[in-house]
Amino acid sequence: MTDEGKEIATLAGGCFWCLEAVYDDLKGVESVESGYMGGKTANPSYEEICSGETGHAEVVQLTFDPKRVSFKEILEVFFVIHDPTTLNRQGNDVGTQYRSAIFHHSAEQKAAAEQVIAKLGTAKIYEGPIVTEVVPASKFHVAEDYHQEYFRRNPAQSYCAFVVRPKVAKFRKHFLEKLKK
């Protein structure tokens, strides 16, 4: 919890451009930063992350108002916009940096993540088992400036048009009432 009663959530679900574009539109989310977490290299660069050797995942770190959106609601969105059943892969993005992970910042976040995953598993929403890691948050490394707000600044770029835009559309379709005005 931050000084102003806000909370932090850190999620990995493939390319951070996709997650950032979705969470930018979620009511109650006040800021979204793309970055890296979960690895062993100090101050990693994008190029180092892409090698798959640093152990970091591409993540988004959200600052949110828990009075307006709960951590569980953030996770509901997370599990709709990516495939949590593919180990170290999202579509054509392959490598440990694209793994599905929830980096919890408290015991409450850990418990909420485990509950959501168990509920989804019991409901058999997905054909395969959920492989999303639930691990303690570690040092967050902010990604390079050119990665921040990438979709907003580059909507016509081919990856954005063919990968990011459909995820944003899926989010908007499923969570219309949770969109920022």
Side-chain angles (χ1 to χ4, degrees):
M1 183 115 16
T2 67
D3 294 338
E4 308 84 37
K6 308 299 186 240
E7 288 189 34
I8 303 293
T10 307
L11 306 170
C15 178
F16 45 34
W17 297 343
C18 295
L19 295 176
E20 181 187 63
V22 166
Y23 285 111
D24 272 343
D25 286 346
L26 182 62
K27 196 183 308 182
V29 172
E30 298 189 356
S31 68
V32 184
E33 279 189 296
S34 290
Y36 317 110
M37 188 176 278
K40 60 187 183 296
T41 303
N43 303 313
S45 68
Y46 181 66
E47 289 73 25
E48 290 172 314
I49 300 297
C50 288
S51 75
E53 295 180 20
T54 71
H56 289 86
E58 288 191 16
V59 300
V60 289
Q61 189 157 82
L62 319 172
T63 301
F64 66 99
D65 182 346
K67 293 179 186 124
R68 298 184 62 217
V69 64
S70 71
F71 184 66
K72 279 189 176 181
E73 289 173 308
I74 287 169
L75 295 181
E76 288 170 8
V77 171
F78 178 67
F79 284 107
V80 165
I81 62 171
H82 88 294
D83 181 352
T85 68
T86 54
L87 187 62
N88 301 327
R89 172 185 209 123
Q90 286 298 302
N92 290 329
D93 294 331
V94 179
T96 58
Q97 68 271 30
Y98 300 115
R99 67 187 177 269
S100 176
I102 299 165
F103 293 92
H104 59 83
H105 294 265
S106 67
E108 293 80 16
Q109 283 189 355
K110 179 182 181 192
E114 289 170 346
Q115 288 169 4
V116 169
I117 290 169
K119 183 178 176 184
L120 290 170
T122 300
K124 300 195 183 304
I125 302 290
Y126 302 100
E127 289 184 27
I130 293 173
V131 297
T132 303
E133 299 174 345
V134 178
V135 294
S138 55
K139 181 165 176 43
F140 175 68
H141 304 276
V142 177
E144 296 79 357
D145 286 345
Y146 69 91
H147 288 298
Q148 308 302 325
E149 302 301 329
Y150 193 85
F151 179 64
R152 283 213 176 128
R153 292 184 295 101
N154 302 282
Q157 192 262 6
S158 61
Y159 188 90
C160 290
F162 294 108
V163 179
V164 182
R165 186 180 323 276
K167 288 189 182 208
V168 170
K170 185 176 186 180
F171 159 69
R172 289 178 177 164
K173 177 182 174 189
H174 282 83
F175 298 101
L176 187 61
E177 74 289 350
K178 295 181 192 255
L179 290 175
K180 290 179 181 173
K181 302 263 183 227

